[in-house]
Amino acid sequence: MTSKPVSASQVNQQDQMAQAANNKRPLTGKQMMKKSVQLINQAAGASKNVNFLSKASLDALMLAIMSERAEILEETLREQVQEVRKKNDKLKESNQILAKARAAKSGSKESVKTQMPDEVKKFFHDNDIAWEKKGAKIDPNKTYNLNSAQWDLAIENMKGFTESLTSTSQLDMTKLQSTSGKFNQTFEMMSQFVAKYYRTADNLIRNI
C-alpha cells in the first residue's frame, strides 16, 4: 500500500521543524544526498524503500553525481583546513622562538657569547634549520654559546624558515578558498535541483 502524498511544502516544513528541535549539525554531502532522496520520495508519495534515483531521470543522476562530488570536496576541505591550522600553529611557534633567540642575543657581543636556550635549540633541530655559514645543524645534546655575529646568522636563517613557511601557508589558503568555493557551488546546485523536484512534485499532486 502506497503512502498518502503530501505537499512538498509540508515535507519541507516538517523537516525544518525536526532539524530545529534536534539542533543537528550541518549535513555532510552523503547525508544530504540521503535526505534529498527521502524528501523527494515522500513528496512524490513513493514508498520509503523505493529508490527514486533508480528511475534514472537526467536530473536525478545529476543530483547523485553532485552529491558524490560534494562528499569528496568536503573531505578535501577538512584535510586542507587541518593543514592550514598546522601551518598557523607552526608560524606562531616560530615567532615565539624567534623572540627568544633575539632576547638571548641581546646580551652577546663580538667577544661575549650567550647560551642558546633549550627551546630555541630544539626548534632549530626539529625543523632542520642551520645556525652558521657552513650549514651546520644543531645537535640537541650539545650546548651552544654564540657571539653576536653567530646569533645574527642563526636568526637570519630562522627568519628565512619563517618566510618560507608563510609563503606555503598563503598558498594553502588559496587552495582552501578554491576548494571552499567549489564546495559551496556544488551545494548550491544541489539545492536548486531539490527545489526543482519540490516544485514538480507540488504540480503533480495538485493535478491529481
Side-chain angles (χ1 to χ4, degrees):
M1 183 176 179
T2 58
S3 58
K4 183 179 179 181
V6 294
S7 70
S9 59
Q10 287 176 316
V11 173
N12 193 30
Q13 185 178 13
Q14 291 171 1
D15 183 65
Q16 288 178 348
M17 291 175 63
Q19 185 169 351
N22 295 328
N23 193 24
K24 292 182 179 179
R25 296 174 60 187
L27 297 178
T28 64
K30 189 173 183 179
Q31 289 171 332
M32 183 172 182
M33 175 63 179
K34 184 177 180 181
K35 175 63 69 176
S36 298
V37 172
Q38 290 175 345
L39 291 176
I40 293 168
N41 285 346
Q42 190 175 357
S47 175
K48 289 184 178 180
N49 60 359
V50 174
N51 185 357
F52 182 82
L53 296 181
S54 65
K55 303 300 181 181
S57 70
L58 181 59
D59 285 349
L61 290 175
M62 287 295 295
L63 179 62
I65 291 172
M66 285 189 293
S67 178
E68 292 176 356
R69 176 171 172 77
E71 187 176 1
I72 293 172
L73 287 171
E74 181 182 21
E75 293 176 359
T76 303
L77 196 58
R78 290 182 183 277
E79 291 175 358
Q80 290 179 346
V81 167
Q82 291 300 321
E83 187 64 26
V84 169
R85 283 180 174 175
K86 289 179 181 178
K87 292 284 178 64
N88 288 341
D89 289 341
K90 179 64 71 174
L91 277 170
K92 290 178 182 178
E93 183 184 8
S94 179
N95 288 329
Q96 291 171 354
I97 295 298
L98 187 58
K100 291 182 179 180
R102 285 170 173 161
K105 181 220 170 186
S106 63
S108 69
K109 295 180 180 179
E110 188 62 34
S111 58
V112 178
K113 295 183 177 182
T114 55
Q115 185 174 332
M116 180 180 287
D118 289 340
E119 301 96 324
V120 177
K121 186 169 62 174
K122 184 178 185 303
F123 189 87
F124 269 69
H125 174 263
D126 292 347
N127 295 282
D128 201 32
I129 303 173
W131 70 279
E132 63 176 5
K133 290 181 179 180
K134 296 180 180 180
K137 304 299 173 61
I138 291 291
D139 182 344
N141 298 317
K142 292 183 178 181
T143 298
Y144 291 86
N145 295 302
L146 285 65
N147 61 26
S148 59
Q150 289 173 319
W151 270 119
D152 285 339
L153 182 57
I155 289 173
E156 193 63 30
N157 288 342
M158 188 169 178
K159 286 170 64 178
F161 169 81
T162 303
E163 289 172 0
S164 176
L165 192 61
T166 300
S167 297
T168 57
S169 180
Q170 290 174 343
L171 181 60
D172 288 341
M173 278 300 301
T174 301
K175 292 179 180 178
L176 179 61
Q177 290 172 353
S178 176
T179 304
S180 178
K182 293 175 182 177
F183 180 76
N184 292 334
Q185 183 182 31
T186 300
F187 264 83
E188 183 179 350
M189 292 176 67
M190 288 176 65
S191 298
Q192 291 174 356
F193 270 101
V194 172
K196 178 181 178 181
Y197 280 123
Y198 284 152
R199 291 194 299 269
T200 302
D202 259 340
N203 290 334
L204 289 173
I205 293 170
R206 288 173 183 173
N207 292 329
I208 293 177

